[in-house]
């Protein structure tokens, strides 16, 4: 008992001594520091939040429990924002961290609640939007499931729809809630989009890529029907012979480009020729004479600027089409020339390349002389007729005339070849994807 009373006396002495020291310190410091005020306020708010959570949680269950957690996070976030405004950044960061641990997207929720419109306004706006949409659908008589679009002019239909909505295209409704750091395609001005499409078509007239672009949405469909793009494409093919649209049977430049006979540029025209040739008699057996089967290919590649490449070789197409990719090839077996369109006839003029004199030795100070080839200067003049098939238009070229003009020793000799189907079969078009993988310049 004595020991217990002595211990109690000691505790009383300690408490009295601590109370005396506290009173002495309070006397020495008449004003409390800001840190003490913040701690006291923080303790009060924590007790208040705990009290509210304990009162609400038993009555509401799991759903209200999540709401109370969100309220706590919202209160911590607001306290942190107040501290940040007063300049106490480190204390604010501590509260922000606690709030995000409770609700990771608390910042967005606070912002949405702060800038949210009244529910009555949003409901009225949604009702007006639905009524307007229904009215436009009734006026346009649109039924996406039952409407027959076989004989409908899609361009006029989409133009009427865009005129009623007021926008060519817009971003999806789900993308509006996302935070993006780059501009959407619909934010670009119309002139810039059309200039991008000119790069898509390019100088090589890759209209196939433009048609793929048109199949994305209604707005892209209307952009791909821009009359200026198709007019420049027609002028690049037919030049001064394109004529005026009003004086033709075509209703648009696109219809002229599709239906008027023309050359295809995204591949090669290829023909295969084979014939039998008698060999020499064997010196051992005079009655034995071999027969040889000769097979070779003829390739034509046309460019939109009026240039053409021709190559005759025994190599198969999968090994040769890559050689015709460049406009100015270095191989001597590839002949370069020009062509012109006259109605449905292609007139081609090709000149054989002269051998290069770069590797020959020349004396310094003397002008290099043009060495005439052994076979002379040769020029090939051809006329090919454009023929369409049921599967693909303008996919064949049939021979009409083939002439060779040879100049040697100031003498000109003209040779006209006999065009038979065995020696000069029709040329069939074959698409080559690698020809239009890159764009060298916009359509002009």
């Amino acid at each position: 008992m004595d020991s217990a009373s002595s211990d109690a006396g000691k505790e009383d002495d300690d408490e009295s001594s601590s109370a005396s020291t506290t009173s002495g310190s309070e006397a020495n410091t008449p004003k409390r520091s800001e840190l003490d005020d913040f701690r006291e306020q923080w303790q009060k708010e924590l007790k208040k939040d705990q009290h509210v959570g304990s009162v609400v949680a038993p009555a509401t269950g799991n759903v209200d429990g999540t709401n109370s957690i969100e309220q706590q996070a919202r209160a911590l976030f607001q306290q942190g924002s107040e501290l940040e405004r007063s300049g106490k950044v480190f204390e604010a960061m501590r509260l922000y961290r606690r709030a995000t641990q409770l609700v990771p997207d608390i910042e967005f929720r606070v912002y949405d609640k702060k800038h949210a419109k009244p529910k009555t306004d949003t409901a009225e706006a949604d009702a007006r939007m639905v009524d307007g949409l229904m009215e436009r659908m009734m006026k346009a008589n649109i039924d996406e499931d039952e409407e027959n679009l076989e004989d409908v002019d899609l361009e006029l239909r989409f133009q009427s729809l865009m005129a009623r909505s007021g926008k060519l295209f817009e971003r999806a409704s789900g993308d509006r809630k996302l935070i993006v750091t780059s501009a959407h395609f619909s934010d670009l001005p119309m002139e810039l989009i059309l200039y991008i499409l000119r790069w898509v078509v390019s100088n090589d007239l890759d209209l196939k890529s433009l048609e793929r672009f048109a199949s994305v949405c209604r707005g892209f469909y209307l952009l791909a029907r821009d009359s200026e793009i198709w007019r420049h494409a027609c002028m690049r093919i037919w030049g001064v012979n394109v004529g005026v649209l009003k004086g033709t049977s075509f209703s648009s430049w696109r219809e002229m480009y599709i239906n008027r006979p023309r050359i295809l540029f995204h591949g090669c025209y290829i023909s295969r020729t084979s014939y039998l040739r008698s060999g020499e008699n064997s010196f051992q057996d005079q009655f034995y004479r071999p027969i040889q089967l000769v097979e070779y290919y003829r390739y034509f590649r046309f460019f939109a600027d009026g240039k053409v490449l021709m190559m005759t070789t025994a190599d198969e197409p999968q090994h040769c089409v890559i050689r015709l990719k460049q406009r100015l090839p270095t191989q001597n077996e590839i002949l370069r020339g020009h062509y012109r369109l006259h109605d449905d006839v292609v007139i081609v003029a090709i000149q054989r390349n002269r051998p290069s004199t770069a590797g020959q030795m020349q004396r310094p100070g003397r002008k290099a002389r043009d060495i005439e080839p052994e076979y002379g200067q040769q020029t090939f003049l051809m006329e090919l007729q454009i023929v369409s098939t049921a599967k693909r238009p303008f996919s064949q070229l049939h021979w009409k005339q083939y002439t060779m003009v040879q100049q040697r020793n100031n003498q000109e000799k003209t040779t006209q070849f006999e065009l038979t189907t065995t020696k000069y079969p029709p040329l069939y078009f074959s698409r080559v994807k690698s020809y239009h993988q890159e764009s060298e310049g916009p359509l002009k």
Side-chain angles (χ1 to χ4, degrees):
M1 293 293 291
D2 296 336
S3 62
S5 61
S6 63
D7 294 338
K10 290 179 180 180
E11 291 178 357
D12 295 336
D13 295 338
D14 294 337
E15 290 177 358
S16 61
S17 63
S18 62
S20 62
T21 56
T22 304
S23 60
S25 62
E26 289 179 354
N28 294 332
T29 58
K31 293 184 179 180
R32 300 178 63 183
S33 63
E34 294 180 359
L35 181 60
D36 295 334
D37 295 338
F38 172 71
R39 287 176 178 172
E40 184 178 355
Q41 184 181 359
W42 182 31
Q43 292 293 337
K44 289 179 180 180
E45 291 176 352
L46 286 180
K47 290 178 180 180
K48 183 179 178 180
D49 293 339
Q50 291 176 0
H51 177 68
V52 173
S54 62
V55 172
V56 176
T60 57
N62 293 332
V63 177
D64 293 340
T66 56
N67 293 334
S68 64
I69 293 174
E70 183 177 352
Q71 291 176 0
Q72 294 178 16
R74 194 183 301 275
L76 291 172
F77 186 84
Q78 291 176 354
Q79 292 176 17
S81 61
E82 292 176 359
L83 290 175
E84 186 178 1
R85 291 192 195 98
S86 61
K88 301 176 182 180
V89 181
F90 293 101
E91 290 82 355
M93 291 176 61
R94 188 153 49 89
L95 294 179
Y96 286 155
R97 188 180 296 109
R98 290 186 58 192
T100 53
Q101 288 176 354
L102 295 175
V103 181
D105 59 342
I106 187 61
E107 181 180 359
F108 300 101
R109 297 191 182 187
V110 171
Y111 180 83
D112 293 340
K113 186 175 182 180
K114 184 177 179 181
H115 295 81
K117 295 181 179 180
K119 293 184 178 179
T120 57
D121 296 340
T122 56
E124 292 176 359
D126 293 339
R128 288 195 300 269
M129 183 178 65
V130 172
D131 294 339
L133 181 61
M134 292 299 294
E135 184 180 357
R136 291 196 299 268
M137 294 286 283
M138 291 295 292
K139 288 182 179 179
N141 193 15
I142 297 173
D143 190 352
E144 298 291 344
D145 297 331
E146 299 179 0
E147 188 177 9
N148 186 11
L149 300 177
E150 291 183 359
D151 299 330
V152 176
D153 189 351
L154 292 180
E155 186 173 0
L156 294 177
R157 169 188 164 83
F158 291 163
Q159 285 179 352
S160 61
L161 290 175
M162 296 305 170
R164 293 189 181 96
S165 62
K167 292 184 178 180
L168 193 61
F169 46 79
E170 59 183 358
R171 67 179 68 201
S173 59
D175 296 343
R176 298 173 186 172
K177 299 180 180 180
L178 299 177
I179 298 177
V180 295
T181 58
S182 58
H184 191 260
F185 196 82
S186 59
D187 299 332
L188 298 177
M190 198 64 58
E191 295 79 5
L192 183 57
I193 298 177
L194 293 176
Y195 185 71
I196 293 174
L197 290 183
R198 293 199 177 194
W199 273 94
V200 171
V201 177
S202 74
N203 288 328
D204 294 330
L205 298 183
D206 186 10
L207 275 307
K208 191 176 184 64
S209 298
L210 185 66
E211 292 297 317
R212 291 179 178 176
F213 175 83
S215 62
V216 175
C217 65
R218 296 172 181 175
F220 286 4
Y221 184 91
L222 293 178
L223 287 173
R225 296 301 187 274
D226 182 66
S227 60
E228 282 298 310
I229 294 178
W230 293 97
R231 185 177 70 85
H232 281 83
C234 293
M235 291 182 62
R236 188 160 179 80
I237 291 179
W238 292 286
V240 296
N241 297 325
V242 66
V244 183
L245 188 61
K246 294 182 180 179
T248 61
S249 60
F250 307 110
S251 60
S252 63
W253 293 108
R254 181 175 180 272
E255 184 180 354
M256 176 187 289
Y257 183 87
I258 293 175
N259 297 325
R260 188 171 175 179
R262 56 184 171 84
I263 290 293
L264 303 180
F265 303 111
H266 55 285
C268 292
Y269 288 90
I270 306 174
S271 68
R272 184 179 66 178
T273 305
S274 58
Y275 62 92
L276 297 177
R277 184 178 65 183
S278 300
E280 297 181 356
N281 295 336
S282 175
F283 66 93
Q284 295 180 352
D285 188 358
Q286 297 295 329
F287 297 98
Y288 173 74
R289 189 173 185 178
I291 301 296
Q292 299 174 351
L293 176 63
V294 180
E295 184 176 283
Y296 64 91
Y297 296 87
R298 185 178 283 111
Y299 302 88
F300 281 88
R301 200 238 165 137
F302 296 89
F303 295 91
D305 58 354
K307 296 181 180 179
V308 62
L309 301 178
M310 186 184 76
M311 181 174 63
T312 303
T313 178
D315 297 336
E316 295 184 356
Q318 57 265 28
H319 304 295
C320 293
V321 292
I322 192 63
R323 304 180 193 173
L324 302 175
K325 186 176 182 180
Q326 304 297 329
R327 295 176 182 270
L328 300 174
T330 57
Q331 297 90 340
N332 291 329
E333 64 268 15
I334 300 178
L335 306 182
R336 300 194 299 266
H338 296 81
Y339 75 94
R340 288 293 180 269
L341 282 175
H342 182 69
D343 294 335
D344 61 342
V345 177
V346 186
I347 302 174
V348 183
I350 295 178
Q351 190 172 12
R352 184 180 293 275
N353 301 331
R354 294 187 176 186
S356 176
T357 59
Q360 298 180 1
M361 297 296 295
Q362 298 180 2
R363 292 185 180 182
R366 290 192 176 183
K367 184 178 179 180
R369 294 183 303 171
D370 293 336
I371 301 177
E372 186 176 3
E374 180 182 354
Y375 43 78
Q377 189 70 36
Q378 293 180 349
T379 303
F380 302 95
L381 303 176
M382 292 162 277
E383 291 186 6
L384 304 168
Q385 186 175 8
I386 302 174
V387 179
S388 300
T389 60
K391 294 183 178 180
R392 180 183 293 179
F394 323 129
S395 60
Q396 293 184 13
L397 296 178
H398 291 191
W399 293 88
K400 290 190 64 177
Q401 187 176 355
Y402 188 12
T403 306
M404 182 184 68
V405 179
Q406 186 175 9
Q407 293 182 354
R408 187 177 181 183
N409 298 328
N410 296 327
Q411 295 181 359
E412 182 176 311
K413 180 181 179 182
T414 302
T415 304
Q416 188 168 359
F417 298 96
E418 182 182 358
L419 301 179
T420 59
T421 55
T422 56
K423 294 183 178 180
Y424 297 93
L427 293 103
Y428 295 88
F429 181 78
S430 178
R431 183 190 174 195
V432 182
K433 295 182 179 180
S434 62
Y435 285 173
H436 284 171
Q437 286 182 348
E438 298 177 357
S439 178
E440 298 180 355
L443 175 64
K444 295 180 181 180

